[in-house]
């Protein structure tokens, strides 16, 4: 969907994984969205809402390689993702997302621990909101954040997917 000649170009593709459809989108700077779901049209609408001024273009060969790496990360989480990320968010959100990337595979952290890690111990709710605003699923591992009692909390792409991602990580560690 073209928006204007000055709009940033974002390529996307939709792949499949054992956790459902995976939309992977990238700007020239790197992966800017990874979304999970059953309905490919809804995944595309979500990216259109996230980047309303962008020219959304169907993927080229390089973009399809990004998508293959993301699917490999979903299927075998400890392989990691050696692709650049292009995070779009406030400085606070980005600090939360960077802290999430420091949580080791197979481990979890609480919202309070993340708040302390970024130097904002009273910002637990804001940390939870930043996790919910993460549009780069799996690569920015918001699925590794749990409640203080260790139970699973919400996950933008469904509690079942969150539980399965954590199970896969623990199995491979």
């Amino acid at each position: 969907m073209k928006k204007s000649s000055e709009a940033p170009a974002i390529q996307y593709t939709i792949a499949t994984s054992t956790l459902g459809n995976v939309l992977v989108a990238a700007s020239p700077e790197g992966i800017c969205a990874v979304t999970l779901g059953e309905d490919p049209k809804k995944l595309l609408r979500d990216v259109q809402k996230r980047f309303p001024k962008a020219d959304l273009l169907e993927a080229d060969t390089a973009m399809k390689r990004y998508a293959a790496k993301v699917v490999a990360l979903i299927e075998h989480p400890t392989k990691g993702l050696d692709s650049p990320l292009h995070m779009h968010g406030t400085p606070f959100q980005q600090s939360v997302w960077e802290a999430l990337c420091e949580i080791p595979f197979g481990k979890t952290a609480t919202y309070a621990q993340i708040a302390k890690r970024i130097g904002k111990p009273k910002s637990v709710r804001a940390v939870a909101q930043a996790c919910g605003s993460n549009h780069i699923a799996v690569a920015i591992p918001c699925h590794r954040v749990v409640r203080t009692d260790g139970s699973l909390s919400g996950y933008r792409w469904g509690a079942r997917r969150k539980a399965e991602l954590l199970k896969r990580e623990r199995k491979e560690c």
Side-chain angles (χ1 to χ4, degrees):
M1 294 189 78
K2 278 203 155 201
K3 298 294 180 188
S4 79
S5 60
E6 296 178 16
I10 294 178
Q11 291 190 20
Y12 73 92
T13 191
I14 298 174
T16 58
S17 77
T18 56
L19 293 182
N21 291 301
V22 181
L23 183 143
V24 181
S27 70
E29 290 82 20
I31 295 173
C32 59
V34 175
T35 59
L36 305 169
E38 300 308 318
D39 182 355
K41 290 178 184 177
K42 183 179 182 309
L43 297 176
L44 183 55
R45 282 192 306 270
D46 288 347
V47 171
Q48 289 169 330
K49 285 179 191 173
R50 176 75 173 152
F51 303 103
K53 296 180 181 176
D55 287 338
L56 292 179
L57 311 168
E58 289 194 44
D60 63 10
T61 303
M63 183 65 228
K64 289 181 181 179
R65 282 193 292 268
Y66 275 155
K69 289 179 180 184
V70 170
V71 170
L73 178 65
I74 290 168
E75 305 303 338
H76 303 286
T78 56
K79 290 188 182 231
L81 182 69
D82 65 349
S83 300
L85 301 180
H86 188 188
M87 295 185 263
H88 292 266
T90 67
F92 178 83
Q93 288 171 326
Q94 290 185 19
S95 69
V96 170
W97 299 336
E98 289 167 5
L100 297 177
C101 290
E102 294 172 5
I103 303 170
F105 290 104
K107 304 291 182 187
T108 59
T110 67
Y111 295 102
Q113 289 169 328
I114 297 299
K116 285 181 189 174
R117 188 175 293 164
I118 65 168
K120 306 273 186 187
K122 295 183 179 184
S123 298
V124 176
R125 284 183 184 248
V127 166
Q129 288 175 336
C131 289
S133 297
N134 172 24
H135 282 54
I136 308 177
V138 188
I140 297 176
C142 56
H143 62 277
R144 294 185 190 144
V145 182
V146 297
R147 293 186 176 117
T148 303
D149 66 3
S151 65
L152 296 185
S153 54
Y155 186 55
R156 179 185 188 103
W157 295 281
R160 178 189 60 82
R161 286 186 181 96
K162 180 174 186 165
E164 182 60 27
L165 287 166
L166 289 171
K167 177 181 165 186
R168 290 176 186 189
E169 288 186 8
R170 288 183 184 121
K171 183 179 177 184
E172 289 193 20
C173 286

